[in-house]
């Protein structure tokens, strides 16, 4: 397992390698785990089966049926209905919750869901 200073550097490493992997925080660094490792609670899955199909706006039912994501929830814990739409913004980073790969979303414009993690994730207070 390799440590990185931030999630962007870790994601770049994973995407360049092209193999399913996840990230988590440990000792002030972002650590990359692979298929051989068990993801800890809250780990972000960066590459996973079906990730390449999650582009644009996709129904919750299609996300669950066509990828390794087991469930889609709305921030606060409410389960998303299969007919609801998710504007993936071409950036989907589900997390491991209770051993289940879970995409956490929030409401965007027009009632369409968006992944909670934005595509341009900046560390808190990075701009001041």
């Amino acid at each position: 397992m390799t440590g990185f200073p931030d999630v962007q550097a870790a994601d770049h490493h994973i995407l360049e390698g092209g193999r399913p992997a996840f990230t988590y925080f440990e000792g002030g660094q972002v650590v990359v785990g692979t298929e051989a490792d068990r993801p800890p609670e809250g780990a972000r899955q960066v590459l996973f089966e079906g990730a390449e199909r999650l582009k644009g706006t996709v129904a919750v039912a299609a996300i669950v049926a066509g990828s390794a994501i087991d469930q889609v929830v709305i921030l606060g814990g409410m389960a998303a209905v299969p007919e609801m739409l998710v504007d993936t913004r071409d950036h989907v980073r589900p997390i491991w919750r209770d051993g289940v790969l879970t995409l956490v979303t929030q409401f965007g414009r027009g009632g369409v869901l968006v992944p909670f993690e934005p595509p341009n994730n900046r560390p808190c207070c990075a701009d001041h």
Side-chain angles (χ1 to χ4, degrees):
M1 292 185 246
T2 307
F4 294 89
D6 55 47
V7 293
Q8 290 84 7
D11 283 6
H12 178 75
H13 174 78
I14 293 168
L15 294 170
E16 286 290 314
R19 296 172 51 102
F22 56 87
T23 63
Y24 60 96
F25 290 96
E26 184 177 85
Q29 289 193 324
V30 179
V31 178
V32 172
T34 65
E35 295 172 288
D37 305 312
R38 179 182 169 98
E41 183 73 9
R44 299 168 60 250
Q45 191 72 38
V46 178
L47 279 181
F48 52 92
E49 182 183 330
E52 69 281 355
R53 292 189 291 271
L54 302 180
K55 306 285 185 201
T57 302
V58 183
V60 168
I63 292 172
V64 174
S67 76
I69 295 173
D70 298 306
Q71 66 180 357
V72 178
V73 299
I74 302 168
L75 194 61
M78 185 169 60
V81 179
E83 298 81 20
M84 295 179 97
L85 298 176
V86 178
D87 177 1
T88 68
R89 301 176 293 190
D90 300 339
H91 180 87
V92 177
R93 299 293 187 267
I95 62 171
W96 288 96
R97 259 193 195 167
D98 297 323
V100 175
L101 193 55
T102 303
L103 178 61
V104 179
T105 64
Q106 60 188 349
F107 284 103
R109 294 179 190 229
V112 173
L113 299 172
V114 295
F116 180 69
E117 181 178 318
N120 305 358
N121 198 7
R122 293 183 317 167
C124 179
C125 306
D127 56 353
H128 57 271

